[in-house]
Amino acid sequence: MLLGAGVGVLLNPTTDLVSQSFSTWLANWLDLPGQIFIRLVQMVMIPLIITSIISGIISNSTENLKSFGLQLLLYFIFTTTVAIIIGLFVSLIMKPGQCFLELGGFPNSGGITTIPAAQQTSFMEDVPNAISNLIPNNPLESILSGEMLGVVIFTILIGGAITQLEKSTASPIIRFAEAVQKICMIVISWAMMLVPYAVFGLIAALTARIGIDVFFGLAYYILVVIIGLALLMVFYLVLVFTITKKNHWSICV
């Protein structure tokens, strides 16, 4: 990453070391490994998420699935909802995207677009409709358009439904989900081989196009992510303590 940032600074037209056309041409080639890595991951992302959630829901013995299938489904929905709320709360308070645009200075960004207060109020008042829209009316459309939240909710419901099937009926579905999950992980392992070259190329191309200021925006975004994950960890610790009446903080530390 540091090497890519250094190369990107040298290729940035503001240094007058290379021409604008050559910088753009070379940045496109440097960006290629990163784009291949991203597309490989995106290619298997949805089937991996679907099979991982299903495998997680039905990971226990089939005999016990019916006894806690509904409770496990409600647990997934509850924890996913809390994670979404924490992410929205941190994002709305700290506004990492706005800071990224202001510090990174994306070309042709057209400035920061703010949502009028009237529209923000109407959105908050339409929370029940927003919650109902979490359930996709067309799962295939959500999969094709990459609407991950709809895919997750759909998969959780399907996983919960599988727990209500007879063992003979559920076993082929479980084996198929496990096979697809392993296949996706093999493709991910292939993509991981490109990570060093992808990171170098992406950082070099980004720095060549935008400049070193982009790292201030990235640093702030990373800080927001860490804060969100820390709040989520606190929520899980409180949840575990509430259910088990045991303090697991010492284990995490």
Side-chain angles (χ1 to χ4, degrees):
M1 184 173 63
L2 294 176
L3 183 61
V7 172
V9 170
L10 295 177
L11 293 177
N12 193 282
T14 57
T15 60
D16 294 329
L17 296 178
V18 295
S19 63
Q20 176 72 44
S21 59
F22 179 78
S23 175
T24 302
W25 174 81
L26 188 57
N28 291 333
W29 279 103
L30 290 173
D31 205 26
L32 180 60
Q35 294 300 324
I36 294 176
F37 168 77
I38 292 174
R39 289 182 177 273
L40 283 175
V41 174
Q42 289 178 337
M43 181 179 66
V44 298
M45 181 183 300
I46 291 181
L48 180 60
I49 290 175
I50 293 175
T51 54
S52 297
I53 293 177
I54 292 178
S55 299
I57 293 177
I58 61 180
S59 58
N60 292 273
S61 61
T62 308
E63 291 77 9
N64 296 328
L65 290 180
K66 290 185 178 180
S67 61
F68 60 87
L70 180 60
Q71 292 88 336
L72 194 60
L73 174 62
L74 295 176
Y75 167 79
F76 271 101
I77 295 177
F78 173 67
T79 53
T80 302
T81 303
V82 172
I84 293 171
I85 292 174
I86 291 176
L88 290 174
F89 174 78
V90 175
S91 299
L92 290 174
I93 295 298
M94 303 189 68
K95 296 181 175 60
Q98 179 176 342
C99 178
F100 191 87
L101 288 173
E102 290 176 349
L103 293 176
F106 275 112
N108 301 324
S109 61
I112 306 300
T113 302
T114 59
I115 300 175
Q119 294 185 14
Q120 294 178 4
T121 304
S122 62
F123 173 78
M124 294 304 296
E125 293 176 352
D126 199 28
V127 171
N129 187 40
I131 295 176
S132 65
N133 288 335
L134 292 177
I135 302 177
N137 54 5
N138 188 346
L140 183 59
E141 181 181 356
S142 299
I143 293 174
L144 294 177
S145 60
E147 296 178 3
M148 300 310 301
L149 184 56
V151 173
V152 169
I153 297 298
F154 166 74
T155 307
I156 291 174
L157 294 174
I158 294 299
I162 293 175
T163 63
Q164 305 302 309
L165 297 175
E166 296 291 338
K167 180 179 179 180
S168 58
T169 306
S171 295
I173 303 175
I174 296 172
R175 291 196 298 269
F176 176 76
E178 292 174 348
V180 174
Q181 184 184 26
K182 291 180 180 179
I183 292 173
C184 293
M185 291 306 299
I186 292 174
V187 177
I188 292 295
S189 66
W190 293 344
M192 292 302 294
M193 298 178 183
L194 292 173
V195 166
Y197 314 102
V199 171
F200 168 80
L202 288 173
I203 294 297
L206 188 64
T207 310
R209 296 189 182 109
I210 300 174
I212 199 66
D213 290 341
V214 70
F215 286 99
F216 294 102
L218 288 174
Y220 185 71
Y221 170 76
I222 293 173
L223 176 64
V224 173
V225 172
I226 292 175
I227 292 175
L229 293 176
L231 292 176
L232 187 60
M233 183 187 69
V234 171
F235 161 73
Y236 277 116
L237 290 174
V238 172
L239 183 63
V240 170
F241 176 76
T242 303
I243 296 175
T244 64
K245 305 300 181 182
K246 295 180 180 180
N247 185 4
H248 293 270
W249 177 254
S250 58
I251 298 178
C252 296
V253 174

